[in-house]
Amino acid sequence: MSDYTFLKPFTFKNQPITLKNRIVIPPMTTRLSFEDGTVTQDEIEYYQKRAGGVGLFITGTANVNPLGKGFEGELSVADDRFIPGLSRLATAMKTGGSKAVLQIFSAGRMSNSKILRGQQPVSASAVAAPRSGYETPRALTTEEIKATIHDFGQAVRRAIEAGFDGVELHGANTYLIQQFYSPHSNRRTDEWGGTRDKRMRFPLAVVHEAEKVIAETADRPFLLGYRISPEELEQPGITLDDTLALIDALKATKIDYLHVSQSDVWRTSLRDPDNPAIINDVIRDHVAGALPIIVVGGIKTPEEAEKAAAAFDLVAIGHEMIREPHWVQKILAHDEKAIRYQIAPEDLDELGIAPTFLDFIESISGGAKGVPLTTATNDEH
């Protein structure tokens, strides 16, 4: 069957950019960059193998400054010297007509002094992440906050110069942008914290800086996306009402899409287990068509993708695209039975999965041999 809804083209409301289909490869950590964040040939080949089938391809996250680094093997867009490698990456991702988006972020407190080569992690406030192994960060000064906003803007400029079709601001998965909005990580009492509106100020300032740079620099249509995590489990933490308030503010900006980061497209509330409402449905109804929505989490088969495409604008397929780089192509060729849902060690070279990436997969999956990729790798990064 090749008449699936998800195979139909999609045109963004605010940009004359058309995707050849509604399938997205979401940002997924590969840990294939050099220590300093430079793109490697292994990385180019990994992305190249997965290009051409999907409509939209988003990179694993790239840090906007040295203190934004969250893990080893992470992309960087923190300096102009990274542009040539990023340009090669963008070209590889656009092979066959896929659109390429660079996700940008700062890890904030989701890092450590070892990764930062002796530097203390930073955040909105000096509050450690409530997870094992994370250090207490230092609070960014007002001057550093403004410099970080500028760094996001310069990252957007570099993405434009490198030839990407857009950027995605990573405001999810408890990284720095989300840390400023969260009442758990932001305990400030100045203009950057306190009330919900003040906690929202940093995320919106980053969006507006990106808008400004795109308006001044882009010589072609260029997408601006924003990724959110709808809830936090921490107390106090971001609630769904908080997220809907942020969405209202984002609807007044020039962002082109909203990417909802969850491990299950059909997830209900984590904070309110008695509420049967599907989070993505609530967000879609609240957005009310103002922005297209990308949903992600647990989609593997064409039938699952079609169900999601019937309810939402764009459908991201993460883990399955690691296993099956030609997922879309096999559907178009009426060869769905050939889609690979598990991988074996002898498949690794063919799939472009380098040892660093394999080690990461195995650490997340509890060291499972045979690399089934049935547990979380990174719809979460």
Side-chain angles (χ1 to χ4, degrees), residues 80-197:
D80 284 0
R81 66 187 175 88
F82 295 113
I83 293 175
L86 290 168
S87 181
R88 291 175 60 219
L89 181 60
T91 298
M93 293 171 69
K94 294 197 289 184
T95 302
S98 299
K99 299 298 183 182
V101 165
L102 179 69
Q103 190 190 67
I104 59 177
F105 93 139
S106 170
R109 70 180 185 176
M110 303 305 294
S111 188
N112 60 59
S113 54
K114 181 178 180 181
I115 290 169
L116 298 178
R117 305 301 187 262
Q119 296 291 310
Q120 184 180 7
V122 297
S123 186
S125 300
V127 179
R131 305 180 190 182
S132 176
Y134 285 104
E135 303 168 5
T136 300
R138 65 174 180 83
L140 288 164
T141 66
T142 298
E143 292 73 22
E144 288 174 321
I145 290 171
K146 293 176 180 178
T148 301
I149 294 166
H150 177 76
D151 290 341
F152 271 97
Q154 290 305 295
V156 174
R157 173 184 62 80
R158 294 179 187 116
I160 293 169
E161 293 183 12
F164 285 93
D165 298 300
V167 293
E168 180 174 284
L169 302 175
H170 197 350
N173 303 120
T174 74
Y175 294 129
L176 185 67
I177 293 177
Q178 182 176 330
Q179 288 164 31
F180 266 88
Y181 192 45
S182 169
H184 184 276
S185 44
N186 188 344
R187 311 291 177 92
R188 303 177 75 100
T189 57
D190 61 4
E191 68 268 33
W192 299 100
T195 66
R196 183 163 69 183
D197 286 345

Side-chain angles (χ1 to χ4, degrees), residues 13 247-248 251 281-293:
K13 292 171 63 72
I247 288 172
D248 284 338
K251 286 163 63 175
D281 285 349
V282 174
I283 290 174
R284 177 201 59 215
D285 294 346
H286 193 81
V287 169
L291 294 167
I293 296 174

Side-chain angles (χ1 to χ4, degrees), residues 139-275:
L140 288 164
T141 66
T142 298
E143 292 73 22
E144 288 174 321
I145 290 171
K146 293 176 180 178
T148 301
I149 294 166
H150 177 76
D151 290 341
F152 271 97
Q154 290 305 295
V156 174
R157 173 184 62 80
R158 294 179 187 116
I160 293 169
E161 293 183 12
F164 285 93
D165 298 300
V167 293
E168 180 174 284
L169 302 175
H170 197 350
N173 303 120
T174 74
Y175 294 129
L176 185 67
I177 293 177
Q178 182 176 330
Q179 288 164 31
F180 266 88
Y181 192 45
S182 169
H184 184 276
S185 44
N186 188 344
R187 311 291 177 92
R188 303 177 75 100
T189 57
D190 61 4
E191 68 268 33
W192 299 100
T195 66
R196 183 163 69 183
D197 286 345
K198 287 184 177 180
R199 286 186 280 110
M200 198 185 295
R201 186 177 177 192
F202 181 81
L204 293 179
V206 171
V207 171
H208 292 318
E209 182 73 8
E211 291 173 341
K212 175 186 172 185
V213 170
I214 292 169
E216 293 175 349
T217 309
D219 57 357
R220 61 191 184 276
F222 192 82
L223 295 170
L224 177 58
Y226 191 99
R227 200 176 205 209
I228 60 167
S229 291
E231 298 177 303
E232 290 180 334
L233 288 175
E234 292 83 5
Q235 294 291 350
I238 292 173
T239 66
L240 184 55
D241 283 344
D242 291 328
T243 292
L244 298 180
L246 176 59
I247 288 172
D248 284 338
L250 292 173
K251 286 163 63 175
T253 71
K254 295 180 180 178
I255 68 166
D256 296 296
Y257 69 81
L258 188 70
H259 189 173
V260 185
S261 179
Q262 297 193 100
S263 60
D264 182 357
V265 168
W266 310 107
R267 172 183 282 176
T268 56
S269 175
L270 296 175
R271 294 180 66 94
D272 184 7
D274 294 328
N275 186 343

